[in-house]
Amino acid sequence: MLLHASSPLAARIGGRLLAAALVAIALIGGLLVLEAPHMASAQEPECEVTDLGTLGGETRQLEANGRWTTEDCDSAFRAGSDAHSYRFQVEEGGRVRIELLSSEADSYLYLLSDSGDRIADDDDSAAGRNARIERDLAPGAYRIEATTVGGRGRGPADFSLIVGYVEGCEPVDLGVLTAEADLTATGVWSLETCGSRIEANHPAYSYSFMLPASGRVRIDLASEDGDPVLSLASPTAGVIGANDDGAPGRNSRIEKYLPAGVYLIEATTYLQADRQPLVADFELTVHLVDEAAAQQTFILKVEESLAPDVVIAGEPFMVDFRVGNVGGGDLPEDWFVIVYAIGPRAYADLEVPSSETVWNAGASYHSSPELASATSTAIPSFEPIEVVLRRPGNSWVFLGVQPFQLVEDEGRYDNPSTFHGIWRNLRVVTGPIYGPVTVSVDGAAYTVEAADDEEGEVTTTVTLADAEAEVDDAVQAKATYTAAVAETVLDGIFERPGLAGLAASGEPESIDVPNASSTTLLRLFGEQYLEAIAIWGFDDVVANGEVINPVHVQELVLHVADKAAQQYAALSARWTALELVASGTGLPFEDAFALQAELAYAERILAPIAAAGSIASQAGPGEMVPADEFDALTRQASCRAAYLGDAFEAAGVEDVEALLALDTELRASLDVFGLGSDAALCAVAGVDRENATFLRRLGISDPTIAAMNAPDRAPEPVVEATPEAPEPYRLRVIASLRADGRVEHGVELYGQHFLPPSRLLPADAPAGQWYASGEVEVEGHSIGVVRARRLADGRIELGFRDVNGDAVEPGIRFVADPPLGLFVRSSVIEVPRPEVAEEGSSE
């Protein structure tokens, strides 16, 4: 209920100012409308309107009971639903709550002006499925429509209607805020609590306080069960602050410098009605900040953040940062700090504890040299944060920093300080964007361009550079692969982080890398290992029962690193030559494929060996090694998928166990020897997956290209009986015309639509040229890609290519004049189910 001028608060600040302050709180949720616009006006009722009476004086509540019979008047707003109409008069302005209750139906409530203009409506703001509207109503006449969700098909049902003033909704006066004592209040949000003036179906309390002299004020609203939301208003200045999660956890905080005067606080919760705990306690604290003392405490801030402007959906990217303590005091040693990155459906963080040397006053730390300042330093704890965003389109990432303290007596973490962060906008696309770029496939020149639309969907176009002839699927796949290598791999190849530790030196030594499969890389690693061991004769040393000289192991590591530098010299010279070719006549497919294989060898084999050599050159056996480089190599070698025996078997070693025993002795003699090997093996372990990812992100499903990098498989076991092949999928190809002329396609299976990425046929696609969608995934596995093309007569032809690379043509597959926004379907086709490895098996 609104305060009268005779109340204590109203007497202190004036009834008119108080009314303005309550209006100011309502402004936080949206624009104030002085005169309600005519929106969704109900038609003049043809049925009886029941007069409930007048609210005011001694009449504080009006009630009515009724029954929806399925033969009542039609709702003015909900087609096919019964409705009862009521009229009531408000004599004294105040907070009014209207509830429509039924145990048999799902009630829906409309509040209207007497002329039929809709003021508010509600479905489930009361308990269960019951409806509730709560508003500050001025004197005058109002109407109510009591109706249901679900219509007459739900059958008849009884209901009750209650209209009454809500008592106790006026602000509670907290008193005068001084430095000597905080102002506090506690309360309980429940279904019976007054509704917020911002979001009426959210329970809320209002408070006021007097600030006698200007100062910095911090307001905290905390709750263990609820999700607090704070709003702050001034009777003279209007809305001056609002906050949801500015304090630890889900709690809220507003901290502002305020002039002397009276202020109003609304303490509400983010969750509405019975979607929150039925009872949620909260505590409100208003504190006058000692600014001089606050400046002598720690203040953690994100000073800079760095993320790509464009990232690919589903693929990790790094967020770099520079954070520092800009306050006047050190972070206490029983504290720790979380640096985190948040994006849509994404979260990642790292934890950095305080110590004598970390988080001191004035200290600043960067995760990348690009963000270094004159005063910041790089330490191993501060690494870039890896983030994955999965939805294409315009997006964002927030990089934040927040300190925490362990409260040992209570076994919990506390954070009395607010977080700080920087928001960065970025774009998420379904694949790399590039071109137009000229490439060469089988001696012919092609122009390739990959462009994205507003939704982040990337479409790749391949055309003959000097003609408009149709490009078949196999050539299109090769051209797309070559263009992507030229634009996303070769361009800027020497700035790749994976090559950062490599330097060309000595006489170039050529190396033949047939492909980028794990089998090939393991074989090459094993051969290099065997050759190095033979030079020093360590196998004879062990066979003779002699101990291994650690100095000789160090010399071995340095020798292998030198050879890695010589091989890199040959590879880098070839890549430089390819850059000239790509900028001239266009990169050939064969060179693009060879480049990918050589790059995989350099980054996964040569780089870890070079890193081990760098460490060995700086410290001999028993000496202190450079911590940063050693720790970095240790992290690279920390996977559990690497097995040295696989490399030995790939290199043709007969007695693998004997060689593994020798390796154990070499590792015991010099740690860095084993680290270099393990880092290389770990890198190789993920290469097959990344090869497949590279093709998938380009929308390439050509089995020939995939097979070129496929690892060797162990022979299939001979079985006497061949199990029956699984039933194929029976599906239809579907297509829908968009308003911009593009055609969206997918498949229909099990009565559901499965829409792949990159599924839009351009409006201006050349006649006769096939376009392939991204992978169609069913039950977690790809079943193939949709194919579509425009024909010279204006029709669209639909098709499918299964996971075996076989084209499947529906009997009914041509689309002429497709309807706008509706899917049309081909005839049923059969698509084989993909072979899925059993759980626990490895690929």
Side-chain angles (χ1 to χ4, degrees):
M1 177 177 175
L2 290 175
L3 283 179
H4 298 294
S6 59
S7 69
L9 177 60
R12 182 148 53 83
I13 69 172
R16 185 170 299 177
L17 280 180
L18 176 60
L22 294 174
V23 168
I25 287 182
L27 273 172
I28 299 172
L31 295 176
L32 175 64
V33 181
L34 298 179
E35 295 185 3
H38 292 275
M39 298 175 60
S41 177
Q43 298 177 356
E44 287 299 321
E46 299 177 357
C47 304
E48 178 183 358
V49 178
T50 302
D51 188 1
L52 294 175
T54 300
L55 278 178
E58 295 183 358
T59 304
R60 314 308 292 174
Q61 182 170 293
L62 306 171
E63 298 182 9
N65 295 313
R67 180 175 177 82
W68 294 298
T69 66
T70 73
E71 297 179 356
D72 304 313
C73 283
D74 289 334
S75 167
F77 305 100
R78 306 188 69 81
S81 291
D82 283 348
H84 291 256
S85 296
Y86 299 88
R87 178 183 288 110
F88 69 97
Q89 190 81 19
V90 175
E91 185 177 84
E92 301 173 1
R95 191 75 171 170
V96 176
R97 177 181 293 170
I98 306 166
E99 291 188 306
L100 181 60
L101 312 176
S102 176
S103 61
E104 301 170 313
D106 188 351
S107 60
Y108 204 106
L109 187 61
Y110 291 90
L111 173 63
L112 316 170
S113 69
D114 197 36
S115 61
D117 292 331
R118 190 193 308 187
I119 297 173
D121 63 84
D122 182 74
D123 183 8
D124 294 326
S125 289
R129 297 181 297 164
N130 296 314
R132 173 190 289 173
I133 294 175
E134 186 176 317
R135 288 290 187 277
D136 292 312
L137 297 184
Y142 297 88
R143 282 169 41 195
I144 294 171
E145 182 185 280
T147 183
T148 65
V149 177
R152 294 185 172 95
R154 297 282 180 163
D158 294 327
F159 68 85
S160 60
L161 178 68
I162 304 172
V163 182
Y165 289 113
V166 187
E167 306 295 343
C169 294
E170 64 275 7
V172 176
D173 185 9
L174 297 176
V176 179
L177 179 62
T178 65
E180 286 72 30
D182 295 340
L183 302 178
T184 61
T186 58
V188 177
W189 292 306
S190 72
L191 283 172
E192 302 308 314
T193 303
C194 296
S196 164
R197 287 180 168 82
I198 302 168
E199 292 288 347
N201 51 4
H202 294 242
Y205 288 81
S206 297
Y207 300 92
S208 68
F209 69 94
M210 171 71 77
L211 183 65
S214 299
R216 182 169 294 279
V217 176
R218 183 171 67 233
I219 306 169
D220 281 291
L221 183 62
S223 174
E224 290 188 5
D225 300 316
D227 188 352
V229 177
L230 267 175
S231 303
L232 179 65
S234 162
T236 57
V239 178
I240 58 175
N243 180 262
D244 181 7
D245 294 327
R250 297 181 299 174
N251 298 318
S252 298
R253 172 177 293 166
I254 294 175
E255 184 171 320
K256 297 180 70 69
Y257 182 83
L258 301 176
V262 173
Y263 294 91
L264 287 103
I265 299 168
E266 183 176 83
T268 185
T269 177
Y270 181 81
L271 302 173
Q272 65 187 57
D274 57 355
R275 299 178 188 176
Q276 66 161 357
L278 294 181
V279 175
D281 297 338
F282 68 86
E283 181 176 359
L284 176 72
T285 304
V286 186
H287 172 75
L288 189 61
V289 177
D290 184 343
E291 291 194 275
Q295 293 174 14
Q296 298 307 309
T297 64
F298 61 87
I299 302 175
L300 303 187
K301 285 192 175 183
V302 176
E303 299 174 356
E304 289 286 349
S305 70
L306 180 64
D309 294 328
V310 179
V311 301
I312 296 177
E315 295 192 9
F317 64 94
M318 307 310 294
V319 179
D320 281 287
F321 55 87
R322 186 175 76 244
V323 296
N325 180 0
V326 298
D330 300 343
L331 185 72
E333 291 191 23
D334 59 341
W335 288 61
F336 65 93
V337 176
I338 297 293
V339 183
Y340 59 92
I342 296 177
R345 299 183 180 179
Y347 176 84
D349 63 30
L350 60 89
E351 178 181 320
V352 184
S354 178
S355 68
E356 293 182 357
T357 58
V358 180
W359 298 120
N360 293 334
S364 181
Y365 311 96
H366 60 262
S367 67
S368 167
E370 294 180 77
L371 295 181
S373 69
T375 58
S376 67
T377 58
I379 58 177
S381 303
F382 291 87
E383 298 178 330
I385 298 177
E386 184 177 277
V387 178
V388 178
L389 300 179
R390 302 190 180 280
R391 292 185 296 184
N394 293 326
S395 192
W396 54 270
V397 64
F398 180 84
L399 195 288
V401 60
Q402 192 167 12
F404 291 87
Q405 180 186 28
L406 176 62
V407 183
E408 295 184 359
D409 294 342
E410 302 179 20
R412 63 180 175 86
Y413 294 103
D414 190 21
N415 171 23
S417 301
T418 58
F419 63 87
H420 181 265
I422 294 178
W423 184 291
R424 297 189 66 88
N425 293 324
L426 47 79
R427 184 158 176 76
V428 184
V429 295
T430 57
I433 303 169
Y434 55 81
V437 58
T438 300
V439 299
S440 174
V441 178
D442 299 332
Y446 296 87
T447 299
V448 184
E449 182 175 12
D452 64 319
D453 60 15
E454 294 181 357
E455 299 170 354
E457 293 282 348
V458 176
T459 299
T460 303
T461 304
V462 179
T463 57
L464 272 168
D466 56 357
E468 296 183 358
E470 179 181 352
V471 181
D472 67 37
D473 290 350
V475 173
Q476 181 169 318
K478 288 184 177 181
T480 300
Y481 179 96
T482 307
V485 171
E487 292 291 290
T488 67
V489 179
L490 183 57
D491 185 17
I493 189 171
F494 295 108
E495 284 75 47
R496 292 175 65 92
L499 301 176
L502 280 169
S505 66
E507 185 71 23
E509 180 178 317
S510 62
I511 178 72
D512 179 29
V513 187
N515 58 51
S517 71
S518 59
T519 305
T520 295
L521 296 183
L522 284 173
R523 176 179 60 79
L524 292 174
F525 176 83
E527 291 173 352
Q528 301 289 320
Y529 186 103
L530 293 173
E531 179 183 315
I533 292 296
I535 293 175
W536 263 261
F538 284 123
D539 48 351
D540 292 334
V541 172
V542 173
N544 294 332
E546 300 176 11
V547 297
I548 294 176
N549 187 336
V551 175
H552 292 167
V553 181
Q554 180 191 22
E555 293 172 351
L556 170 61
V557 173
L558 295 175
H559 166 79
V560 174
D562 287 341
K563 186 171 183 178
Q566 294 170 16
Q567 290 182 351
Y568 181 65
L571 295 176
S572 60
R574 170 175 157 76
W575 300 343
T576 301
L578 286 181
E579 288 180 316
L580 296 176
V581 172
S583 63
T585 59
L587 186 67
F589 169 74
E590 293 76 11
D591 288 338
F593 184 82
L595 172 63
Q596 283 283 72
E598 293 166 355
L599 181 61
Y601 178 74
E603 290 186 321
R604 298 171 189 276
I605 304 296
L606 298 185
I609 291 173
S614 175
I615 295 172
S617 68
Q618 299 177 60
E623 298 177 356
M624 294 295 295
V625 299
D628 291 351
E629 293 185 42
F630 192 86
D631 291 344
L633 193 60
T634 300
R635 287 192 294 272
Q636 294 177 41
S638 61
C639 76
R640 297 182 179 179
Y643 179 55
L644 185 58
D646 292 338
F648 294 156
E649 290 180 0
V653 174
E654 295 183 0
D655 192 350
V656 172
E657 292 301 323
L659 200 53
L660 289 174
L662 171 60
D663 181 81
T664 301
E665 299 303 318
L666 295 172
R667 291 167 180 261
S669 298
L670 192 68
D671 288 345
V672 73
F673 175 86
L675 283 180
S677 296
D678 290 347
L681 292 168
C682 282
V684 170
V687 71
D688 297 323
R689 181 178 63 253
E690 294 194 17
N691 290 338
T693 299
F694 184 78
L695 297 181
R696 185 169 61 251
R697 72 196 292 222
L698 301 177
I700 295 175
S701 58
D702 189 300
T704 302
I705 295 180
M708 294 173 69
N709 273 329
D712 294 344
R713 302 294 185 190
E716 293 293 333
V718 178
V719 293
E720 295 181 359
T722 302
E724 293 183 2
E727 287 290 328
Y729 290 115
R730 293 175 55 82
L731 55 86
R732 300 175 189 267
V733 181
I734 59 176
S736 173
L737 177 65
R738 289 195 172 189
D740 59 6
R742 294 181 298 172
V743 177
E744 181 180 22
H745 43 266
V747 303
E748 185 177 81
L749 177 65
Y750 307 140
Q752 303 178 34
H753 290 176
F754 294 83
L755 303 179
S758 303
R759 59 183 178 269
L760 300 175
L761 177 66
D764 57 353
Q769 180 172 306
W770 283 104
Y771 282 74
S773 73
E775 301 288 336
V776 178
E777 290 196 358
V778 176
E779 298 171 342
H781 304 285
S782 171
I783 65 170
V785 298
V786 175
R787 304 168 73 231
R789 66 175 176 177
R790 296 184 183 274
L791 302 178
D793 59 7
R795 295 180 300 167
I796 297 167
E797 183 178 3
L798 303 177
F800 198 88
R801 186 175 295 280
D802 63 30
V803 291
N804 299 318
D806 297 327
V808 184
E809 291 185 349
I812 302 174
R813 63 182 182 277
F814 299 102
V815 181
D817 299 322
L820 183 65
L822 297 177
F823 278 106
V824 295
R825 298 159 179 80
S826 75
S827 55
V828 174
I829 59 175
E830 291 190 349
V831 175
R833 294 175 181 263
E835 294 183 3
V836 180
E838 296 183 1
E839 185 176 353
S841 65
S842 59
E843 290 293 315

